[in-house]
Amino acid sequence: MAPTSQTDSPEANLAQSLFAGAPTEEAQTPFRMAALEARIAQLDSLMVAYSGGVDSAFLAATAHRVLGDRMLAVLADSPSLARRDMEQACAFANALQMPLRIVATDELDRPEYQRNDANRCFHCKDELFDVMGALGAELGFSAIAYGMNADDTRDFRPGQRAAVQHAVIAPLAEAGLTKLEIRSLAKAAGYSLWDRPAAPCLSSRVEYGRTVTREVLEQVERAEESMRALGFREFRVRHHGDLARVEIARVELPRALSMEILDSITAALKLAGYQYVTLDCTGFRSGSMNAILPVDVLVRRGA
């Protein structure tokens, strides 16, 4: 498939009309989109670490449009990936006829990962990029990219350090694209996942210091599927041993505050294996487990 010019892409054209006359910051979006396409076009070939989330999916779709068959989306299959997320990732790739390779990763076999300290994400990404590096050498791919965006550079994400050590590039962040911009561009491109809630790995639900095991991850997945079956869209079930701490997005929280729904949540999560169930009154917030980390750890941001 022949590469597409970065100035003629549907996303760039739609972005220009979408943000025409907008404030200066938003008006930068089409230029950032063009910068993303130009960066990708510089590469001979590219493998994208693909999870099916909005960021990695948008990056993979853009790379496929620019590079054609000289790109490959790589989806890591491990116990920390919910089956629902894997199915959605495969469906999106198939809908775009995007080259996809599913690989097995064994981060759960690493004692450093099981230990579940503040560096857990580093060991996860280190395993992933080890596997992708070997695959890239075998298939002749010249570069590896992942879906870090400009907002992520200001967050605590130890996986960024693994990316640096493996020379993995972050085209979205390089182009200065934020999460909001990526969602807007994905919507303009007609991608159904543009408003999909963030879905980090299941291990992120487990409190730091508690050993991550296959059984724990399966329990978390059962619990979150139960919450989804009750009609909630954006939430987390945080694993604290026998206790499940449920975070629900504040816009959805009022619905949970009836005895009928509270009883349903309790019954569902006890069925998933928890002895105690508590509703977090603050509501859902991404990365809430990081609140207990020391300041000197957080300010490093893992980069």
Side-chain angles (χ1 to χ4, degrees), residues 12-299:
N13 292 335
L14 284 164
Q16 288 175 10
S17 62
L18 181 64
F19 294 104
T24 303
E25 180 62 24
E26 291 181 342
Q28 294 300 311
T29 303
F31 300 102
R32 291 169 180 164
M33 184 66 209
L36 171 65
E37 293 175 320
R39 176 69 176 102
I40 292 172
Q42 293 172 351
L43 304 170
D44 292 330
S45 58
L46 179 66
M47 288 198 312
V48 176
Y50 171 65
S51 67
V54 178
D55 296 332
S56 70
F58 184 75
L59 175 60
T62 303
H64 179 227
R65 180 170 43 73
V66 173
L67 297 174
D69 291 337
R70 292 186 289 122
M71 72 76 62
L72 178 67
V74 178
L75 176 61
D77 184 14
S78 79
S80 65
L81 177 66
R83 296 302 91 185
R84 172 189 174 87
D85 293 337
M86 168 168 260
E87 291 168 4
Q88 289 182 339
C90 291
F92 181 75
N94 290 336
L96 296 187
Q97 297 184 314
M98 184 168 68
L100 174 67
R101 175 73 70 93
I102 299 175
V103 298
T105 55
D106 299 316
E107 64 271 17
L108 208 58
D109 293 338
R110 294 189 175 201
E112 308 93 334
Y113 181 89
Q114 294 178 5
R115 186 165 59 235
N116 193 24
D117 60 17
N119 287 311
R120 183 196 66 240
C121 290
F122 167 82
H123 300 297
C124 176
K125 286 293 191 292
D126 187 50
E127 168 73 12
L128 171 62
F129 296 145
D130 272 346
V131 171
M132 290 185 68
L135 180 63
E138 175 190 339
L139 300 179
F141 281 86
S142 62
I144 299 173
Y146 77 127
M148 181 177 76
N149 64 49
D151 293 327
D152 294 335
T153 62
R154 297 184 288 273
D155 198 1
F156 176 72
R157 294 179 183 265
Q160 295 173 15
R161 181 160 47 90
V164 171
Q165 291 183 10
H166 287 267
V168 173
I169 62 175
L172 297 173
E174 289 179 29
L177 285 165
T178 66
K179 186 75 166 189
L180 181 60
E181 288 177 307
I182 292 165
R183 287 193 183 278
S184 295
L185 289 165
K187 181 180 182 181
Y191 301 152
S192 59
L193 50 61
W194 72 272
D195 65 341
R196 181 176 298 169
C201 79
L202 293 171
S203 296
S204 67
R205 278 63 154 175
V206 184
E207 63 179 334
Y208 287 122
R210 186 173 295 278
T211 302
V212 176
T213 66
R214 185 181 299 269
E215 292 73 26
V216 163
L217 298 179
E218 289 174 348
Q219 183 179 13
V220 171
E221 184 171 9
R222 288 196 304 272
E224 294 203 340
E225 282 299 314
S226 297
M227 290 293 297
R228 201 166 283 111
L230 290 172
F232 293 101
R233 186 170 185 270
E234 191 169 15
F235 59 87
R236 295 285 186 272
V237 175
R238 307 294 188 184
H239 181 92
H240 299 266
D242 288 337
L243 177 119
R245 178 169 58 86
V246 182
E247 297 177 3
I248 298 174
R250 292 183 71 87
V251 69
E252 298 182 74
L253 196 52
R255 178 172 168 263
L257 301 179
S258 73
M259 291 310 302
E260 179 183 0
I261 298 299
L262 286 172
D263 286 346
S264 296
I265 292 173
T266 301
L269 269 60
K270 285 194 171 186
L271 193 61
Y274 290 101
Q275 187 170 353
Y276 306 102
V277 180
T278 184
L279 182 64
D280 192 315
C281 296
T282 307
F284 166 70
R285 61 268 188 212
S286 180
S288 69
M289 288 297 199
N290 293 336
I292 67 166
L293 295 177
V295 171
D296 65 322
V297 172
L298 290 173
V299 295

